[in-house]
Amino acid sequence: MNSRTLHTTGKVIMRGSDPLNLDASGEWAGLWWLPEDPGHQVPGVLRYEPERGLILSLIGAFEDRVTTTPAPGVLMVHEGRRTWGVIHGAADQREISLFGCFPDGGQRTFGARVKTPDKQTVVATTALIGAHVGGEDEAAFSTTEVSVEDLGHWAASSVLEGFLGAPGGRPDGSGTISVKPVEVQSVEVDGTEFVLAHRHTLPFFDQRRGGTVGRMSDTAYKQITRREASSLSDAIGYARLIQDLIALATHRAAGMIWVRLKLAPDDAVSECGGPRLERNVDVLYSPFVVGKHDAKAAAHHRVFFTCEALPFEEIIPRWCDVHERLQSATNMVLGLRYAPARYVENNLLTAVGAAEVLHRGFDIDEPPIPSEDFKPMREAMLAQVPEEHRKRIRGSLRNDPTLRDRLYALAARPDQEALSTLVPDVDRWARRTTRARNDLAHEGRTPNHELEELIAIVDVTTAVVILNLLNELGLPAGRQREIVRDHPQLRATARSARDWLSTSEADS
């Protein structure tokens, strides 16, 4: 992804109808039907809970039995239950689309003495509040808007400004909080425009019995617009792209706060002759982590980088490239932030696996033996092997770098002053990490390592992978050194490396 343009505008996005936060409950009562049978509408209530997800409670039911009619008047009921890709609804004056739906209990009556309505409970994986769409891959939207935890901190910009009166250097009790719109930053990457925008309120005074509270709020969010219409699946992918960026930058799991789509209009002009307004469509689903919009932001000294260190117009194209090219390694190392395993063995395999995958993703493999020398050597060795074993032995004779080679190569890529602070003894770290992984993979245990050393190996290897990703994003060498020196977790990792992964005098 190489093409990019940058422009800024003075556009200010004011708060209208707020997006639906994923950490807030919601309820919609209305009518529900299957798209292929719109005449059969069933009343019910859709409820969303952050912990439970989306549950539709129907007074009535959709047919969930798997049946066939082998002959006229004959109905055969088979094992299993039906699922529904899409359910449409109309509730609280809004269109609703539910995706990934399956029945989860209910009450059906057949031949009862008193006929009463059936009841059915349906679980959905995703809901669109504000539009009827035929599927998750239907290109129906013009824009995706995303809010992630700590996005405002990472953006390093705000429409709010504060001033404290201090004549002569002594505070006098006066001060102001004001709103000053900031320029909207925008960069285009391969036909997709990424915008860093702000949504804010005007000053509001809340009169209470015991006093008066003045309020203003500012929300930074990302707006992504493609040249062609996008689908719900595309939107979730963009949300994940931004979520992973903030998780890497803040070195902690970044929860998704809200996702909102703009419905692409059928035409650009409304019936009255004016421009047709885009319709907001809110997305409810279960991301890896649900963001808490009122929780405290990450402390400044725990953040790896913000847009002050890597400007928005530079980091977005680089991150799009890195995320696509090194996605497997990124997923593995961020997985240790989102869902760390309870056992060190799982984390060991994940951290070392991320290092191997990252090295492969860099495409810097060099065969230990020149190819022109290795091939005749391999054929000479295979000539000594009985024919029935030759195929098996051929598969094990590979001219690839070893794990230790890959660890050495990764250690050589970031700023060397930062790396040496983090890993004082690269040779011992590479040897002990390789031994631990091989013992666990081939013997099922690590008898040559104490628990504290395994923990140090996991932390150091994870930090080396992260430092490589930051280096690949273009984080300046000076900032890499500051992170290793000042970040509390990396300082602790460096101490563990010195205690457990440095050659002692007894080893010399």
Side-chain angles (χ1 to χ4, degrees), residues 9-81:
T9 69
K11 181 180 179 182
V12 179
I13 300 178
M14 304 297 291
R15 186 183 297 278
S17 60
D18 289 340
L20 298 179
N21 289 335
L22 292 172
D23 66 341
S25 303
E27 182 175 294
W28 297 264
L31 298 174
W32 310 88
W33 63 91
L34 302 178
E36 63 271 19
D37 188 13
H40 176 56
Q41 299 187 355
V42 182
V45 178
L46 173 68
R47 294 181 177 87
Y48 170 76
E49 298 286 347
E51 299 80 12
R52 301 182 61 196
L54 293 154
I55 298 178
L56 176 61
S57 300
L58 299 174
I59 304 176
F62 301 124
E63 180 58 73
D64 60 3
R65 297 174 299 170
V66 179
T67 62
T68 57
T69 306
V74 178
L75 180 69
M76 295 185 64
V77 180
H78 305 278
E79 292 185 5
R81 305 178 76 178

Side-chain angles (χ1 to χ4, degrees), residues 140-350:
F141 306 101
S142 61
T143 300
T144 301
E145 295 179 348
V146 176
S147 175
V148 179
E149 287 180 329
D150 292 315
L151 179 58
H153 189 176
W154 171 82
S157 66
S158 175
V159 303
L160 302 180
E161 288 187 345
F163 169 78
L164 295 177
R170 296 176 62 87
D172 63 357
S174 65
T176 61
I177 299 177
S178 62
V179 171
K180 181 180 180 181
V182 297
E183 291 185 328
V184 176
Q185 300 179 67
S186 172
V187 61
E188 184 174 303
V189 183
D190 288 351
T192 299
E193 183 184 44
F194 293 83
V195 175
L196 178 59
H198 290 261
R199 180 190 304 273
H200 67 85
T201 62
L202 294 175
F204 170 74
F205 295 98
D206 188 6
Q207 300 286 344
R208 300 297 181 96
R209 295 180 182 180
T212 301
V213 178
R215 291 196 184 100
M216 287 187 291
S217 66
D218 172 34
T219 300
Y221 66 97
K222 285 285 190 69
Q223 189 179 76
I224 303 101
T225 304
R226 295 201 317 190
R227 290 175 182 168
E228 67 277 5
S230 57
S231 66
L232 172 61
S233 297
D234 296 328
I236 298 299
Y238 287 131
R240 170 75 183 278
L241 177 75
I242 304 305
Q243 187 179 19
D244 286 352
L245 172 60
I246 304 305
L248 178 64
T250 60
H251 196 46
R252 70 177 189 178
M256 188 65 62
I257 296 178
W258 53 259
V259 178
R260 169 172 275 186
L261 310 178
K262 302 286 187 180
L263 192 66
D266 294 332
D267 51 73
V269 180
S270 65
E271 296 179 357
C272 62
R276 187 180 295 276
L277 299 178
E278 293 178 309
R279 189 198 310 169
N280 291 329
V281 180
D282 292 297
V283 182
L284 295 177
Y285 72 115
S286 297
F288 294 135
V289 177
V290 173
K292 301 184 184 303
H293 71 283
D294 278 338
K296 294 285 288 185
H300 181 75
H301 65 285
R302 292 183 175 272
V303 175
F304 285 158
F305 67 90
T306 68
C307 287
E308 288 181 333
L310 286 175
F312 178 81
E313 67 272 16
E314 296 179 14
I315 184 59
I316 292 300
R318 293 176 187 174
W319 176 244
C320 289
D321 171 63
V322 167
H323 194 265
E324 180 180 6
R325 182 164 46 90
L326 306 173
Q327 185 170 11
S328 295
T330 302
N331 290 348
M332 295 173 75
V333 76
L334 290 181
L336 294 174
R337 302 276 77 79
Y338 284 114
R342 293 178 179 271
Y343 300 100
V344 68
E345 290 84 359
N346 301 70
N347 291 330
L348 172 65
L349 294 178
T350 300

